[in-house]
Amino acid sequence: MIKISQQQKRLLSYGIFFVSIIILLTIFLPLLRINDSTYAGYEVAFGKELIDIDPFGLGSIASARLPISFFAIIAFFLPIIGGIIGLFSRGIAIVSGAFFLIAFVLFLVLPNEVVIAYTIAGTTTTTEVDWSLAFGGIIAAIASAIGAGLSLVFALKK
C-alpha cells in the first residue's frame, strides 16, 4: 500500500462528499426520457400526475401517473449517506464505496424498473415503458462510479 499524507486523506474525503452532493443535485435534472418527454429525478422518485381527464368536475374518468419509485429514491439518497461516511470515518470507507456502487447499479437499471400507472373507470393498472436515461441519469451514474472509486482508494490507502 502507498502511504499518503493526512492532508491528502482529508482532500480525498472531501472529494467523496463533493461527489455525493453532485449526485443528490442531479435529482433536479432530467433522469428518464421517452420520445420527446423527459422527467426530472424528483418527478420519477416522488411521483407525478401525467394526465387526469375530469371533463365535468364530477370525478376522474381516466388518469395516468408516475408512481413513487423507491429505486430512484435509494439511488439518489444512498450516495449522500456514503459521502457522509467517507467524510467522517475512514475505517468504514469500504461501506461508502458499496453505497456508491449500489447507486451506480440502480441508476443503470432504473429505466427497466419505472412504470406508468393508469386508472380507467376506477381500475388501476401499470404498464412498462421503454425508458432511456437522460443526461441527468448519465451524470449521476458516472458520478456514482467515481464516488465508488474514490471510496475504494480512500479505504485502501494507509
Side-chain angles (χ1 to χ4, degrees):
M1 290 188 211
I2 300 171
K3 291 191 175 200
I4 59 174
S5 70
Q6 195 65 24
Q7 183 179 8
Q8 289 170 329
K9 289 178 189 176
R10 193 170 347 152
L11 187 61
L12 198 53
S13 68
Y14 289 147
I16 293 167
F17 185 70
F18 179 71
V19 168
S20 70
I21 295 295
I22 288 173
I23 294 168
L24 186 61
L25 290 176
T26 60
I27 201 167
F28 298 108
L29 297 176
L31 178 65
L32 295 177
R33 75 169 170 249
I34 184 166
N35 301 331
D36 294 338
S37 300
T38 59
Y39 298 95
Y42 67 89
E43 294 171 332
V44 173
F46 301 112
K48 178 183 180 179
E49 182 91 21
L50 301 176
I51 189 170
D52 186 20
I53 301 172
D54 184 8
F56 305 110
L58 300 173
S60 180
I61 296 172
S63 65
R65 62 183 168 79
L66 280 171
I68 292 174
S69 172
F70 293 106
F71 279 106
I73 293 170
I74 292 169
F76 281 114
F77 290 101
L78 202 58
I80 197 72
I81 297 168
I84 292 169
I85 289 171
L87 190 61
F88 293 114
S89 177
R90 184 174 172 266
I92 57 171
I94 198 77
V95 173
S96 173
F99 285 177
F100 279 105
L101 191 59
I102 291 168
F104 172 73
V105 171
L106 287 176
F107 280 118
L108 293 182
V109 300
L110 198 59
N112 299 326
E113 299 299 325
V114 175
V115 296
I116 292 180
Y118 62 92
T119 304
I120 298 176
T123 305
T124 302
T125 311
T126 60
T127 185
E128 293 182 12
V129 180
D130 191 23
W131 298 105
S132 60
L133 276 179
F135 71 90
I138 293 169
I139 292 169
I142 291 170
S144 295
I146 291 170
L150 288 174
S151 295
L152 182 64
V153 168
F154 187 59
L156 296 178
K157 296 295 177 180
K158 283 198 170 200

